[in-house]
Amino acid sequence: MLKRKIYENLKRWTKEKDKKCLVVQGARQTGKTYIIEQFAKENYEETVEINFKQMPSAMEIFSGDLTVDNMILAMKFRFPEKKVMPGKTLIFLDEIQECQEAITSLKFWAVDNRYDVIASGSLLGIDYKRASSYPVGYVDYIKMHGLDFEEFLWAMGITDDMIGSLRDFLYNQIIIPDSINNQMMGLFRKYIAIGGMPEAVQKYVDTGDFREVDAVQRNLLIGYQYDIAHYATNEEKIKAEKCYLTLAKQLLDKENHKFQYKEIEHGARAQKYYSSIEWLLRADIVHLCKRVTNIRYDLDDYSRDDFFRAYATDLSLLIAMKDFSLKQHIVENTVSGNTKGGIYECAVADALYKNGYMLYFYKNESAKKELDFIIQKDGQVVPIEVKSGNNRANSMNVIIKNNKDITVSYKFIDGNIGVSDEGVITLPLYMVSFV
């Protein structure tokens, strides 16, 4: 079993006195069902699991009056072998997006408060059947992603004590011994090549074979394409898939990583394709990094919807869009040119996204100033630069010199820890997961 951080979030939820229903959101194949099933097995005497894709007939349980007693009675008739007991039984409604009445029922489970209810599903942000409104005030949400780098380290046998030592280097800004830093950079490159999708990571743990991993990644990519074909409207199907499959070209083949519609087809314009980007965003298939016109809190006030980068929600899916040989080059550190910079930028974006940050970037073409990323933390803006080597961050140095509101900034490099004369904290690329 792969150790996942969300497990502790689930345990905290069970201890809440007046708990609401819990909805676990996230893209497909990130391990939602598996971790909830494992959590239920270890923390409850009984689980009533209804997967509305596997058991569409179970929707009948929610077809009548949505009182808790009626629903419980219907479950007992449907699953006579189950002992449905308050406080001892977890009710797990999986692929809940398939059943609007089950979504509506979450309010009544929460008000009744006798039973613990977890709902989960993919594509919860789209309304492909009918409007799916989750009961406001009666539901808590947890977002689940693929494995982040720390979870990947656990899978590789790196202990919490060892990770704690890495954090100490970070917090005390002490140079990391080369033997440790080189090993960590090697593991980080493996993580980039494998990505964080649980099936791909488990395949590597079991076999150590990158070709086996590649087969898993390509099947996952096909699954995502199937979801687009199945759930997108007829108007969006082909356009959304074209947008999605162009991500590798947008991010790894060009120096400028701004999403450009002309890469989809000759003469393409936002008017035709922006709705497809929005669909992919709502479906948790991509996440966006928007350009800002000012480096000041609140960044969203200065963001532009028409100027953005689009990233896959997991590196597994992005790497699967390229030839298998790219994995070998990543692991052996022989990637060069725009691809190397693009890969490290995507890896940093992936880590920041999985840590819950909204991503922005800055570009002033007239002043020739640019920042790879900007995030917000504790009401402050934090500039971030990503370097495939250890070049000077000239734009960042000028920007922080002229902006006294910036108190912390980071440069992630293929190197070690340090602090520049301008106060920029330089960190190895893998440290982005611990910031």
Side-chain angles (χ1 to χ4, degrees):
M1 174 185 172
L2 297 172
K3 182 181 174 183
R4 303 301 304 273
K5 293 177 180 179
I6 195 174
Y7 193 94
E8 293 303 315
N9 293 357
L10 296 175
K11 288 184 72 173
R12 283 194 291 272
W13 171 76
T14 62
K15 295 175 182 177
E16 293 177 5
K17 184 178 180 181
D18 297 316
K19 67 174 71 66
K20 303 174 184 179
C21 296
L22 184 66
V23 175
V24 180
Q25 301 172 299
R28 74 189 308 271
Q29 298 297 317
T30 52
K32 299 184 297 296
T33 299
Y34 180 84
I35 201 69
I36 294 168
E37 289 176 343
Q38 193 67 29
F39 174 76
K41 187 185 301 181
E42 296 175 2
N43 292 275
Y44 292 88
E45 293 184 20
E46 188 70 89
T47 306
V48 175
E49 179 177 351
I50 300 173
N51 184 310
F52 291 105
K53 278 189 176 179
Q54 291 180 348
M55 290 186 287
S57 61
M59 295 182 191
E60 294 177 355
I61 294 171
F62 304 89
S63 62
D65 294 338
L66 294 180
T67 65
V68 169
D69 287 339
N70 279 352
M71 291 185 287
I72 290 295
L73 184 60
M75 287 180 186
K76 287 180 177 178
F77 273 96
R78 177 73 189 220
F79 308 104
E81 75 282 4
K82 299 287 186 180
K83 296 179 180 179
V84 188
M85 302 168 288
K88 297 181 180 180
T89 300
L90 176 68
I91 296 169
F92 175 26
L93 308 177
D94 200 8
E95 302 292 358
I96 194 173
Q97 77 277 358
E98 301 289 330
C99 183
Q100 172 62 39
E101 290 75 18
I103 294 172
T104 304
S105 78
L106 296 177
K107 173 180 178 179
F108 305 107
W109 293 108
V111 170
D112 183 272
N113 203 32
R114 284 179 291 163
Y115 296 88
D116 290 0
V117 179
I118 296 180
S120 181
S122 304
L123 303 154
L124 295 180
I126 61 171
D127 303 328
Y128 75 98
K129 285 186 173 180
R130 46 185 156 161
S132 299
S133 176
Y134 287 81
V136 177
Y138 300 96
V139 171
D140 285 328
Y141 297 92
I142 296 179
K143 189 73 172 280
M144 188 170 184
H145 306 287
L147 279 77
D148 64 20
F149 182 57
E150 185 172 8
E151 291 171 317
F152 178 79
L153 291 178
W154 292 336
M156 296 295 104
I158 304 297
T159 65
D160 285 327
D161 286 345
M162 297 162 73
I163 293 172
S165 297
L166 293 173
R167 292 183 190 276
D168 288 340
F169 288 123
L170 168 63
Y171 296 143
N172 296 315
Q173 296 178 12
I174 300 171
I175 293 177
I176 305 167
D178 285 342
S179 60
I180 297 174
N181 193 49
N182 292 339
Q183 181 186 2
M184 293 303 300
M185 277 303 304
L187 286 168
F188 190 60
R189 283 189 281 269
K190 277 187 181 178
Y191 173 68
I192 294 173
I194 296 166
M197 297 300 263
E199 187 180 358
V201 175
Q202 190 64 61
K203 181 62 70 174
Y204 183 77
V205 171
D206 294 340
T207 69
D209 188 334
F210 278 99
R211 290 201 174 274
E212 295 277 353
V213 172
D214 186 70
V216 170
Q217 290 175 330
R218 294 186 187 282
N219 282 334
L220 289 169
L221 183 60
I222 291 170
Y224 271 60
Q225 292 175 251
Y226 169 80
D227 279 349
I228 295 171
H230 184 67
Y231 293 110
T233 63
N234 290 333
E235 184 181 351
E236 298 295 350
K237 289 180 192 296
I238 296 175
K239 293 191 297 178
E241 183 176 23
K242 282 184 175 180
C243 288
Y244 187 54
L245 294 180
T246 194
L247 291 187
K249 183 190 295 185
Q250 302 273 2
L251 297 167
L252 304 181
D253 296 346
K254 304 190 287 99
E255 184 177 0
N256 177 10
H257 299 151
K258 171 186 177 288
F259 191 90
Q260 296 177 315
Y261 296 100
K262 67 180 182 180
E263 298 294 342
I264 303 171
E265 63 182 17
H266 179 70
R269 295 288 185 269
Q271 185 178 7
K272 179 178 179 179
Y273 282 101
Y274 188 71
S275 61
S276 302
I277 294 292
E278 286 188 320
W279 189 92
L280 293 169
L281 182 64
R282 292 197 306 272
D284 282 321
I285 293 177
V286 303
H287 65 97
L288 304 186
C289 177
K290 295 183 180 180
R291 179 181 176 178
V292 292
T293 56
N294 203 339
I295 309 166
R296 178 181 299 176
Y297 185 86
D298 185 339
L299 289 171
D300 205 44
D301 294 338
Y302 305 98
S303 66
R304 290 180 52 177
D305 291 336
D306 62 336
F307 205 123
F308 60 88
R309 304 186 197 127
Y311 296 97
T313 47
D314 194 273
L315 293 168
S316 290
L317 301 159
L318 180 72
I319 298 301
M321 295 178 190
K322 300 292 283 185
D323 184 75
F324 172 79
S325 62
L326 179 60
K327 290 184 181 61
Q328 180 177 359
H329 286 300
I330 292 171
V331 172
E332 295 178 356
N333 197 24
T334 55
V335 183
S336 60
N338 293 334
T339 302
K340 184 173 185 178
I343 283 172
Y344 285 148
E345 178 191 296
C346 291
V348 169
D350 183 79
L352 294 171
Y353 168 69
K354 288 175 178 175
N355 279 340
Y357 291 108
M358 293 288 293
L359 304 185
Y360 305 87
F361 73 100
Y362 176 76
K363 187 169 186 177
N364 185 324
E365 292 171 349
S366 60
K368 297 184 178 179
K369 298 293 181 289
E370 185 172 0
L371 291 172
D372 292 327
F373 298 106
I374 315 170
I375 60 173
Q376 296 185 140
K377 185 173 177 61
D378 301 327
Q380 295 189 353
V381 296
V382 181
I384 293 172
E385 281 282 85
V386 183
K387 301 292 183 183
S388 56
N390 189 12
N391 309 42
R392 283 181 57 82
N394 294 323
S395 288
M396 179 182 282
N397 292 337
V398 172
I399 287 168
I400 63 176
K401 182 179 179 181
N402 296 327
N403 191 333
K404 301 304 180 184
D405 292 334
I406 298 174
T407 59
V408 62
S409 54
Y410 295 103
K411 180 174 72 168
F412 292 100
I413 64 168
D414 189 357
N416 215 306
I417 291 179
V419 180
S420 72
D421 294 338
E422 294 82 6
V424 178
I425 301 171
T426 300
L427 298 172
L429 285 154
Y430 59 85
M431 281 287 187
V432 65
S433 297
F434 306 133
V435 168

